[in-house]
Amino acid sequence: MDTTGTVIKCKAAVAWEPGKPLSIEEVDVEPPRANEVRIKMIATGICRTDDHVIKGALKSIDFPVILGHEGAGIIESVGEGVTELKPGDKVIPLCIPQCGKCSSCLNPHTNCCLKTHLSESQNVMPDKTSRFSCKGKVVYHFLWTSTFSEYSVVPVDAVAKIHDNAPMDKACLFGCGFPTGYGAVVNTAKVEPGTTCAVFGLGGIGLSAIIGCKTAGAARIIAIDLNSKKFEKAKMFGATDCINPLDYTKPIHEVIVEMTEGGVHYSFECIGTIETMKAALESCHLGYGTSVIIGEAPSAELISFDPLLLFTGRTWKGSIFGGWKSKESVPRLIAEYMENKFNLDGLVSYTLPFDEINQGFHLLRSGMSIRTILMF
Ligand code: NAD
Ligand code: ZN
């Protein structure tokens, strides 16, 4: 049945308010307007960022909202003016858009397009309205992706067309987790062969950072997590040393500085707390160390630190979506994956039907899952 131009009724997981489980509802999804497309989702992953919103830690998000930003799907219909995509194309919705026109997109040193939620709300489409409603109420978009819905409307600036044969259950990892961790290493830090790296936090982001360190030829990769059950996978992906802060009486950065005779070349914070951001900075060498923040701290939390930590020569950086200019890079990364450049099997812990989404969040919170993939 041709659904072009009609309102589609479909299943979605709605977050009605912070602190509540998601609720599977029938929602109305309007047709795409100018420069938008409607996507039929095939698979979606669960990331900690979605969980931060459910817990109410990211204040800029409007409720009710359909979360999800790691998806893979197929174009159902396109709005006016869309010529680059057509129904049937396999695509990845991009939580960091690439408009191609703003000062960031025109600058080769950043991927942080000015259309991201950090400068303009992505809770609504560019025309400031939502395409979702449920029980007569407006439901908001999240990061323009809202992949926890069978159908989602996304602006073309935030859609990447991928290979027709891409495996969708793995391709969705390229919507956030893998490019974020991997790119922080190869793009943001530009890790060199023979160096020592420390990765704080061994979820989907941290393990992807380890894959990056290994690919970049790091000689030593120190993996840090409070949950020692994560160490097996970290080693599988290339960690050479695994340490649990709970096994030491002294602060973990002191342990790392001792282990490395002065600190690592590169450290990556893949957790999202102020304490671990500082620990990661203090773990890198006072003169030549670089520390990269990838984790998202709760809104409105401020960090205080001794300026001497930077005075001596350390570099402190942040990385969003791994520094990749999203629209042009995601198709290339997926092509490389299909040529077996990366083995991501260990990143997927569980594959569940979409209806079991709350179980997926339970598996993440309990530390049992790296990524749970939900299939529609
Ligand atoms: P995750 O929850 O799966 O992994 C975090 C890991 O950190 C867990 O293994 C946990 O046991 C460990 N941990 C927690 N507290 C710790 C501590 N004090 N010391 C050591 N280990 C500790 O999360 P994820 O999906 O891998 O995401 C990691 C972070 O990255 C989140 O904050 C997420 O919001 C953020 N993120 C950032 C971007 C970006 O573009 N920069 C993109 C996606 C996610
Ligand atoms: Zn994410």
Side-chain angles (χ1 to χ4, degrees), residues 27 43 75 98 125 171 221 245 247 268 274 338:
V27 299
I75 301 281
Q98 184 183 353
M125 290 289 102
I221 304 169
D247 294 339
F268 299 91
I274 299 297
M338 291 171 73

Side-chain angles (χ1 to χ4, degrees), residues 45-50 68-70 95 142-143 175-177 180 205 296 321 371:
I46 293 179
C47 169
R48 182 61 76 177
T49 304
D50 303 305
H69 62 282
E70 234 180 51
C95 52
F142 175 57
L143 301 180
C176 175
T180 296
I205 307 291
E296 271 188 275
F321 196 60
R371 280 297 194 260

Side-chain angles (χ1 to χ4, degrees), residues 46-59:
I46 293 179
C47 169
R48 182 61 76 177
T49 304
D50 303 305
D51 191 41
H52 288 329
V53 179
I54 294 175
K55 289 181 174 150
L58 301 180
K59 302 280 180 248

